[in-house]
Amino acid sequence: MAETGKITKQSEDFPAWYQDVIREGDLAEVAKIVKGCMVIKPHGYAIWEKIQADLDRRFKETGHRNAYFPLLIPMSFIKKEAEHVEGFAPEIAVVTHAGGKPLPEDEQYCIRPTSETIIGHFFAKWISSYRDLPLLINQWANVMRWELHTRMFLRTTEFLWQEGHTAHATHEDALAEVARMLDVYGDFAQEMMAMPVIRGVKTDSEKFAGALETRCIEAMMRDGRALQAGTSHDLGQNFGKAFDVKFQTEKGREEYVWQTSWGVSTRLVGALIMTHSDDSGLILPPALAPVQAVIVPIYKKEEERAQVVEAAQKLAADIRKKGICVEVDDRDGKRPGDKYYEWERKGVPVRIEIGPRDIASGEAMTKLRLSDGKEKMRMDTLAAELPGTLAGFQRFLYERAWKFREDNTVVLNTWDEFREVFGESGGSKFAWCHWDGTRETEALIKEETKVTIRCIPLEGQGPAPEDGTCIRTGRPSRQRVLMARSY
RNA sequence: CGGGGUGUAGCGCAGCCUGGUAGCGCGCCAGCUUUGGGAGCUGGAUGUCGAAGGUUCAAAUCCUUUCGCCCCGACCA
């Protein structure tokens, strides 16, 4: 880790850069006293709150309601769905003692790694008729997975997320839900995070433990690696059968429900950092920036200070009327240059400087987080123009991220090309390649190159389907899949 | 679990080889001067030197034991 106050260059050491941006942006720190856990500091948590607020609105607009289930899940529950146990058992933390006594093995709890099982249990109690369906529930919660290697926001032992859990009368309904929620995530990523994503289907070996199918959104980080930014699972009747979630159909027949689950986590904050930020620190898309604009008053003498701060407060009030979150940084004893650096590292999109000269001329200096120069703007029209400026900034970030991804996406046809692109350096690109569809080939490629199949693109999300031959084995393939090194 | 490293002020580190009053940078506090891109000067506060035991007149330093953390090789939102 670099010394405090310095940010390692992205091009020199990407992981160090990432840590530095988080520290200098005052987003979070490693808890240290609790293995693998992090403390999300106010500025970082404020970003998560903005993410939550917008997603929550989208969930409610699509008919879901929030609920909350226990943090502790009986160990016996986890074991009920065979693939689910197998997938999660190694990373589960278990409560073995309570009330000052050891718990018998059959009374032990695990701290939820995800809630399909306990929610399945309650769905069984709540659902008896087709009239109870669909049941559309979302939970905002923390979960815990005992990971070997942790990285702030991307993979920590405890993390915050939302998990949607729904039950439907038919597989068709459930599949529509899976698709709908994947689109909610995809739209959110693109509209709010200014992060282009590829929507696709996971291969069998990458899908959620216990699901029939997992759909995902995959984004490219600025080192070319892929980040899974959200998932939506078709659980089929697997959990329905394991937890006996049955309902009576209109015709009086008894059937198991079809379930889905879907989630995004605080990992999105990591995605935000690695999609937009630069060597000066964090860059936030205006739509998710807790502070969208900051006003720095500049003064020398006391009487100037009073005058300048007053003008800044008045401008701030005008800006707030436009629905923009603005802060006046009138902290005394900290010089303007110092403040500039601080707000830059915190990713604030727009900075406005007001000094005696500006008050005299009726203008203010504005600086966008991404441009080098400053621009003079009339103070009386600034508030009116700011929403447009922010919208333009948001659009610019999306387009820049899009172009970066396009520039780092390749279509590969031979294994030699593949080995060249994914060399020893550990770098990555998005590569569209043919794959023979077998788990064995996928594992072989992963072992040889650490490259994985990120997803099989949904229609329109990748190259149009075409017959070809597997990049590794030469066997026939019907469609190209997305390959990359990933987080 | 195997290999390597490290524990000294809030943070980052030096001191250890060759035992002798615990130091540096940043940060923090106070005052003055400053304030349109990371301020300067002066003064100040802060430590059971990871823990336990031993050797010694004397241990951060030498010896023994122990604990924690970090990095590299087997899982993943």
Side-chain angles (χ1 to χ4, degrees), chain A residues 378-414:
Chain A
R378 299 241 9 117
M379 228 179 302
D380 48 10
T381 56
L382 204 158
E385 287 176 37
L386 209 47
T389 305
L390 290 174
F393 191 92
Q394 180 88 17
R395 212 174 319 116
F396 176 84
L397 284 182
Y398 182 78
E399 281 161 11
R400 189 177 71 146
W402 174 275
K403 183 170 186 308
F404 180 82
R405 193 185 73 185
E406 291 303 295
D407 290 348
N408 288 283
T409 298
V410 291
V411 175
L412 302 178
N413 293 306
T414 69

Side-chain angles (χ1 to χ4, degrees), chain A residues 26-226:
Chain A
D26 210 21
L27 299 179
E29 65 184 57
V30 176
K32 288 191 176 167
I33 48 164
V34 187
K35 193 172 170 59
C37 289
M38 69 188 290
V39 177
I40 305 175
K41 299 176 80 173
H43 190 49
Y45 199 79
I47 297 169
W48 176 239
E49 286 179 310
K50 299 273 276 194
I51 291 172
Q52 276 187 303
D54 191 78
L55 280 174
D56 201 63
R57 178 183 61 76
R58 290 174 195 253
F59 297 157
K60 284 168 181 160
E61 276 173 7
T62 43
H64 303 84
R65 290 187 301 165
N66 287 331
Y68 188 81
F69 297 84
L71 166 70
L72 300 180
I73 298 177
M75 274 308 288
S76 59
F77 279 31
I78 302 289
K79 295 175 182 159
K80 281 192 185 177
E81 211 288 329
E83 285 184 25
H84 195 64
V85 203
E86 202 185 316
F88 283 102
E91 24 182 278
I92 281 176
V94 183
V95 178
T96 57
H97 289 68
K101 285 182 290 194
L103 293 171
E105 206 165 312
D106 59 354
E107 284 176 30
Q108 292 181 350
Y109 299 102
C110 76
I111 297 170
R112 63 180 162 222
T114 179
S115 303
E116 276 74 11
T117 56
I118 195 163
I119 290 179
H121 171 84
F122 287 97
F123 274 15
K125 289 179 68 177
W126 297 346
I127 296 167
S128 52
S129 154
Y130 72 94
R131 293 178 199 279
D132 298 323
L133 300 174
L135 180 55
L136 309 174
I137 295 292
N138 177 63
Q139 164 168 260
W140 289 98
N142 55 341
V143 289
M144 193 165 246
R145 299 179 188 178
W146 215 259
E147 302 283 359
L148 261 51
H149 291 131
T150 56
R151 300 187 68 187
M152 280 196 283
F153 290 113
L154 300 178
R155 185 172 304 111
T156 45
T157 303
E158 181 187 9
F159 57 95
L160 304 182
W161 77 347
Q162 60 68 217
E163 44 182 329
H165 294 271
T166 68
H168 306 261
T170 66
H171 197 196
E172 202 182 358
D173 274 3
L175 286 172
E177 170 77 1
V178 169
R180 181 182 310 120
M181 298 323 286
L182 190 78
D183 278 338
V184 164
Y185 289 153
D187 293 348
F188 171 82
Q190 305 198 171
E191 292 164 16
M192 301 299 287
M193 297 178 68
M195 180 174 80
V197 293
I198 288 167
R199 303 168 202 214
V201 179
K202 285 288 180 194
T203 61
D204 268 4
S205 54
E206 296 270 336
K207 75 180 185 191
F208 177 77
L212 293 186
E213 181 182 277
T214 289
R215 294 191 174 199
C216 62
I217 52 173
E218 294 283 331
M220 179 184 278
M221 303 296 102
R222 290 194 73 79
D223 59 351
R225 293 170 88 115

Side-chain angles (χ1 to χ4, degrees), chain A residues 182-372:
Chain A
L182 190 78
D183 278 338
V184 164
Y185 289 153
D187 293 348
F188 171 82
Q190 305 198 171
E191 292 164 16
M192 301 299 287
M193 297 178 68
M195 180 174 80
V197 293
I198 288 167
R199 303 168 202 214
V201 179
K202 285 288 180 194
T203 61
D204 268 4
S205 54
E206 296 270 336
K207 75 180 185 191
F208 177 77
L212 293 186
E213 181 182 277
T214 289
R215 294 191 174 199
C216 62
I217 52 173
E218 294 283 331
M220 179 184 278
M221 303 296 102
R222 290 194 73 79
D223 59 351
R225 293 170 88 115
L227 184 80
Q228 177 177 307
T231 47
S232 183
H233 314 291
D234 168 21
L235 302 178
Q237 293 178 305
N238 291 350
F239 287 89
K241 286 176 180 165
F243 287 88
D244 211 30
V245 193
K246 287 186 284 199
F247 70 101
Q248 275 199 333
T249 65
E250 219 169 332
K251 297 195 173 109
R253 249 202 352 249
E254 195 168 62
E255 284 179 15
Y256 289 107
V257 297
W258 298 84
Q259 285 176 259
T260 82
S261 70
W262 28 273
V264 297
S265 71
T266 34
R267 170 179 265 200
L268 290 182
V269 177
L272 217 45
I273 296 165
M274 291 195 293
T275 300
H276 301 303
S277 301
D278 62 14
D279 288 345
S280 303
L282 192 63
I283 294 176
L284 290 171
L288 293 175
V291 179
Q292 295 166 300
V294 64
I295 303 176
V296 179
I298 292 154
Y299 48 83
K300 288 194 175 80
K301 308 183 202 78
E302 253 322 291
E303 58 269 28
E304 280 178 349
R305 175 185 150 84
Q307 196 187 14
V308 164
V309 169
E310 192 195 329
Q313 294 291 6
K314 188 186 165 299
L315 180 61
D318 289 345
I319 291 172
R320 280 192 197 102
K321 280 184 202 141
K322 303 290 176 187
I324 293 165
C325 185
V326 62
E327 210 164 290
V328 178
D329 186 358
D330 59 356
R331 284 174 298 176
D332 216 352
K334 202 169 171 73
R335 300 167 52 133
D338 203 9
K339 293 178 183 177
Y340 299 165
Y341 278 96
E342 180 177 330
W343 291 110
E344 248 159 45
R345 288 185 314 232
K346 286 188 168 175
V348 175
V350 181
R351 185 180 78 225
I352 301 162
E353 304 165 18
I354 301 180
R357 293 209 294 267
D358 304 299
I359 292 176
S361 67
E363 290 170 323
M365 297 299 290
T366 62
K367 172 156 186 332
L368 295 182
R369 174 62 180 77
L370 269 166
S371 54
D372 290 332

Side-chain angles (χ1 to χ4, degrees), chain A residues 449-462:
Chain A
T449 63
K450 296 212 166 120
V451 174
T452 52
I453 298 173
R454 301 320 305 154
C455 67
I456 302 155
L458 293 173
E459 198 184 335
Q461 296 290 305

